[in-house]
Amino acid sequence: MHLLVKRLVLLVLVLACLPVQAASAATTYDSEILRYTNAQRAHYGLPPLKISYCMKGHFADPWARHLAATRTLTHQSLSPMMSTCHGSSVGENIARANVSPGRMVEMWMASPGHRANILNRGYTHLGVGAVRGSDGLVYGVQDFLRYG
């Protein structure tokens, strides 16, 4: 009986650690995307974007998980973002590649539509989601928001 309790405690400890480690890795990638995005904005004399936990938690993270699970690259409906997160305008960048966060931002900057979102003076907040799919690729999502 004592051995069974030890094994259960060990299993609980292992399971408790798994989400923390996975979240930590994703959070680092996400924060680096925000950092590189703001570096691009600073280069063009624009103010930095602030993190939107509403956009991240309700839209960017779930959509990145969806893209990775389905191995697709499609935009989600943007109108729910405005009502859920109380914004006046929104935009989205998505990407799929096995690259660093800095390289992902460079790829977006090389695309006119994605670049326009990053350099849009009206956007004030950003939600970022990034998930490595079973195919080894990172599925990245930037959801931009303007309040007011």
Side-chain angles (χ1 to χ4, degrees):
M1 187 73 143
H2 183 67
L3 182 59
L4 181 60
V5 170
K6 282 185 179 179
R7 286 184 179 168
L8 285 174
V9 168
L10 180 60
L11 179 61
V12 168
L13 290 173
V14 168
L15 291 175
C17 288
L18 288 177
V20 172
Q21 292 169 347
S24 176
T27 302
T28 300
Y29 198 98
D30 296 358
S31 63
E32 286 295 292
I33 286 179
L34 176 65
R35 186 172 74 81
Y36 283 107
T37 298
N38 280 332
Q40 287 293 333
R41 288 176 62 88
H43 179 76
Y44 290 92
L46 298 171
L49 297 169
K50 298 175 184 118
I51 190 75
S52 167
Y53 294 103
C54 179
M55 293 293 273
K56 178 175 180 46
H58 290 285
F59 299 101
D61 281 339
W63 197 246
R65 287 192 300 272
H66 169 78
L67 295 176
T70 60
R71 293 184 180 186
T72 58
L73 199 58
T74 59
H75 289 280
Q76 62 188 308
S77 176
L78 301 181
S79 37
M81 294 177 187
M82 292 196 305
S83 59
T84 302
C85 298
H86 310 291
S88 60
S89 64
V90 296
E92 182 173 73
N93 287 349
I94 57 176
R96 171 181 58 197
N98 188 15
V99 296
S100 68
R103 180 67 186 120
M104 188 168 282
V105 172
E106 288 173 3
M107 290 167 45
W108 281 322
M109 288 297 291
S111 162
H114 297 106
R115 177 188 181 94
N117 281 336
I118 291 172
L119 300 181
N120 185 322
R121 181 174 293 282
Y123 292 139
T124 57
H125 289 77
L126 179 67
V128 177
V131 173
R132 185 171 300 279
S134 60
D135 56 4
L137 300 175
V138 176
Y139 291 78
V141 176
Q142 288 184 310
D143 287 323
F144 299 87
L145 178 70
R146 176 184 179 161
Y147 285 112

